[in-house]
Amino acid sequence: MLNLERLRTLDALARHGSVSGAAEGLHVTTSAVSQQMAKLEREVGQRLLARNGRGVRLTDAGRLLAEHAARILSQVALAQSDLEAQRGQVVGELRLAAFPTALRGLFPAALAALRNDHPALRVRSREVAPEEGVRAVLRGDADLAVVLDWYNKPLPMPDGLAKAPILDDPVEVAMTEDHPLAGRDEVDLDDFADDEWVAWPEGEFCHEWLLYTLRTKGIEPRIAHCAEEHHTQLALVAAGLGVCVAPRLGRDPMPAGVRAVPVRHRVHRYVYAVWRADADRRPSIRAAVRALQDAAPKAR
């Protein structure tokens, strides 16, 4: 009889690609992962791991069993979801993830409502970039993630996920009040061809969106400064170090001396929640989605 927890360890190893990554994802020590894998190898009577330099890799038998483990764990999750749905109670633990401005703009009101309406539900949340939020849900490290699509560039979305809309987030351009365009009612992104930009860190989905959008307009962007948080970006703008894209979600208060001007051809982000399809009937997932949707009007 295969042990479910050992199959979960094998699945984590296959998804994370290393013992340390599996240990982090499972919130256990690396020695615990190694012990579980040694026991699983004894159970199946085959080697599942092989040395690969300073790390390990799955053998052919390990990859085969990992494929079965993923399907078994998905069925277990579906069974748990169905049992929760039959019971109809919002209880247990719910792990949430969100990109920074969603965590700031949506989570305080949404999590307070969940605590008030469902005191038996234990909620944990953490801040991650949108693409990492998707990966966390796929790995089983998060039950639900709040992520985003840009109006002209959707976030790559693998199969096996369900989603629900939360809000459309209008985007403006922030600049100092003495900027030549600060007095306008609307601007185009093309108007800032000669400006330096304050952007997200290189390699992030939002940074790549800015490069993509400006380049499609024939502009090679001059990225002068990069910062994860919008409030840090706005502080750099206030110091006269460039302009930045300024979504409204989680933005206020604006720093003194900065004005945000709407973009003429509406630029916006679609903010939505994603979770594994096999957890679709969990009452706690449904309750979290409702709480986030109810918090959205307050965040606009």
Side-chain angles (χ1 to χ4, degrees):
M1 182 71 70
L2 294 172
N3 180 280
L4 189 61
E5 286 309 307
R6 288 165 200 157
L7 290 179
R8 199 180 303 278
T9 301
L10 175 63
D11 178 66
L13 252 172
R15 287 185 286 104
H16 291 275
S18 68
V19 172
S20 59
E24 184 178 351
L26 295 169
H27 307 289
V28 298
T29 63
T30 54
S31 62
V33 170
S34 298
Q35 289 168 16
Q36 289 283 61
M37 289 305 301
K39 291 176 181 177
L40 185 57
E41 286 184 328
R42 288 197 295 271
E43 283 180 350
V44 300
Q46 295 188 64
R47 289 184 63 197
L48 303 175
L49 296 179
R51 288 287 174 191
N52 185 28
R54 299 177 68 179
V56 296
R57 62 174 176 81
L58 293 178
T59 63
D60 289 345
R63 286 193 296 271
L64 178 63
L65 186 56
E67 292 173 3
H68 284 289
R71 290 193 290 270
I72 291 167
L73 292 170
S74 178
Q75 284 299 117
V76 170
L78 183 59
Q80 290 172 331
S81 177
D82 285 346
L83 285 170
E84 280 191 36
Q86 186 184 53
R87 187 169 51 184
Q89 296 177 342
V90 181
V91 297
E93 181 179 83
L94 188 68
R95 301 160 300 164
L96 306 180
F99 61 95
T101 49
L103 196 70
R104 176 185 173 91
L106 291 169
F107 273 37
L111 299 192
L114 283 171
R115 172 174 286 187
N116 182 66
D117 296 342
H118 308 289
L121 180 67
R122 300 184 306 279
V123 179
R124 291 193 290 147
S125 64
R126 62 189 177 107
E127 182 180 293
V128 297
E131 58 271 40
E132 175 55 29
V134 171
R135 289 194 292 267
V137 170
L138 284 172
R139 290 194 306 259
D141 297 338
D143 298 305
L144 178 148
V146 178
V147 299
L148 64 91
D149 285 339
W150 287 95
Y151 74 104
N152 61 341
K153 190 175 177 65
L155 183 70
M157 194 60 55
D159 293 335
L161 296 180
K163 66 180 185 177
I166 303 299
L167 79 151
D168 286 357
D169 186 23
V171 169
E172 299 171 338
V173 178
M175 65 203 80
T176 55
E177 289 179 342
D178 60 0
H179 190 283
L181 303 178
R184 291 194 184 180
D185 293 330
E186 293 179 320
V187 292
D188 286 320
L189 294 179
D190 319 48
D191 298 331
F192 301 93
D194 297 325
D195 283 89
E196 292 187 327
W197 286 88
V198 179
W200 296 267
E202 291 184 27
E204 288 198 2
F205 176 62
C206 292
H207 183 102
E208 296 305 313
W209 166 80
L210 182 62
L211 296 181
Y212 167 81
T213 301
L214 292 176
R215 285 169 178 166
T216 58
K217 295 176 178 293
I219 300 168
E220 184 56 37
R222 299 165 58 199
I223 307 295
H225 307 282
C226 294
E228 179 71 43
E229 253 291 352
H230 281 229
H231 278 242
T232 304
Q233 294 177 14
L234 290 170
L236 293 168
V237 170
L241 299 173
V243 300
C244 78
V245 170
R248 290 184 188 170
L249 177 62
R251 187 177 73 191
D252 292 333
M254 289 279 284
V258 174
R259 179 158 190 264
V261 181
V263 179
R264 183 175 294 108
H265 302 292
R266 187 169 179 260
V267 175
H268 56 281
R269 311 185 298 181
Y270 302 108
V271 179
Y272 55 100
V274 298
W275 60 94
R276 288 173 63 119
D278 54 25
D280 195 49
R281 296 186 64 201
R282 285 182 62 186
S284 56
I285 294 284
R286 294 295 171 186
V289 170
R290 285 194 300 271
L292 289 163
Q293 290 172 335
D294 290 344
K298 306 180 186 70
R300 287 192 177 94

